[in-house]
Amino acid sequence: MITPRRFHVFLFVLMAVVLGVIPLAAQQQQPPLTPDALPAPVPPAIFSAKKVFLSNSGADSGLFPHPFSGSQDRVYNQFYAAMQKWGRYDLVSDPDQADLVFELRLTSPNGPANPDKQKGASDPLPTFRLEIVDRKSHYTLWTVTESVMFAFLQKTHDRNFDDALNALLLDVQNLPKTSPPSSSAAK
């Protein structure tokens, strides 16, 4: 004879089995991620763009002021000069004239109160963030970040700043080396 208590236990066990099987079935349907997968395409607008507006999205207060003037525009000025020297894009002074907008900022994230590196915590380092935005649609097409390594001495601090900013530019320069997918590969 089935008592109400046994019936409730049976329903509980049945629901536990059903709810345990559903996620298992969903996991089996997803294709596995493999390191040999082809790289995802870079948005074609990055390849076809000719003109770029460099937006100074600023730096957190007190981060890497210019060594001589104390200006907070150091990030913007140095990256602008490096982009001009590269010459890949025509830098324009009005965003309405641009194909892409490069939004550049320097942030200093707050770190975890009790960092445990075995659980994925990392040291909070100042970070350059460059968002490549399609001017017409306002969608972010690509984002590149580089961290500025920690230093005790001002000279090393400044060198690490320059190294990270150069790495950011190299990340952008290496984007166009990836060819867009052919129309036959997309079919």
Side-chain angles (χ1 to χ4, degrees):
M1 172 176 218
I2 297 178
T3 64
R5 181 181 169 131
R6 284 187 180 178
F7 182 71
H8 288 134
V9 170
F10 171 75
L11 282 178
F12 177 76
V13 171
L14 181 65
M15 288 180 65
V17 169
V18 168
L19 292 176
V21 170
I22 291 173
L24 196 62
Q27 287 177 353
Q28 292 173 351
Q29 293 174 356
Q30 296 174 353
L33 297 176
T34 59
D36 60 338
L38 293 174
V42 175
I46 294 175
F47 296 104
S48 62
K50 303 286 185 226
K51 297 179 180 183
V52 166
F53 175 77
L54 182 58
S55 170
N56 183 3
S57 291
D60 287 351
S61 180
L63 279 181
F64 300 97
H66 190 277
F68 304 115
S69 68
S71 166
Q72 287 294 309
D73 296 332
R74 178 180 179 187
V75 176
Y76 176 76
N77 292 335
Q78 283 187 228
F79 194 77
Y80 190 94
M83 288 288 292
Q84 278 185 319
K85 186 176 179 183
W86 178 31
R88 161 65 176 87
Y89 298 107
D90 180 23
L91 300 179
V92 295
S93 59
D94 183 358
D96 287 336
Q97 298 172 347
D99 302 313
L100 299 175
V101 174
F102 283 20
E103 292 185 6
L104 178 64
R105 73 179 53 97
L106 175 60
T107 61
S108 180
N110 294 328
N114 186 12
D116 184 350
K117 296 205 189 307
Q118 292 183 358
K119 293 183 181 176
S122 62
D123 294 324
L125 296 171
T127 303
F128 291 113
R129 180 179 178 90
L130 180 71
E131 292 185 20
I132 301 175
V133 179
D134 179 55
R135 186 198 54 85
K136 292 175 190 164
S137 69
H138 302 284
Y139 284 110
T140 300
L141 302 176
W142 207 266
T143 301
V144 182
T145 60
E146 287 291 341
S147 295
V148 181
M149 299 309 297
F150 178 77
F152 286 108
L153 302 174
Q154 184 64 43
K155 185 176 181 178
T156 308
H157 198 58
D158 289 334
R159 186 183 69 235
N160 291 350
F161 173 93
D162 293 339
D163 290 347
L165 198 57
N166 287 332
L168 189 74
L169 181 63
L170 283 173
D171 292 342
V172 174
Q173 289 174 341
N174 287 330
L175 276 178
K177 292 180 183 175
T178 308
S179 61
S182 65
S183 58
S184 62
K187 291 181 182 176

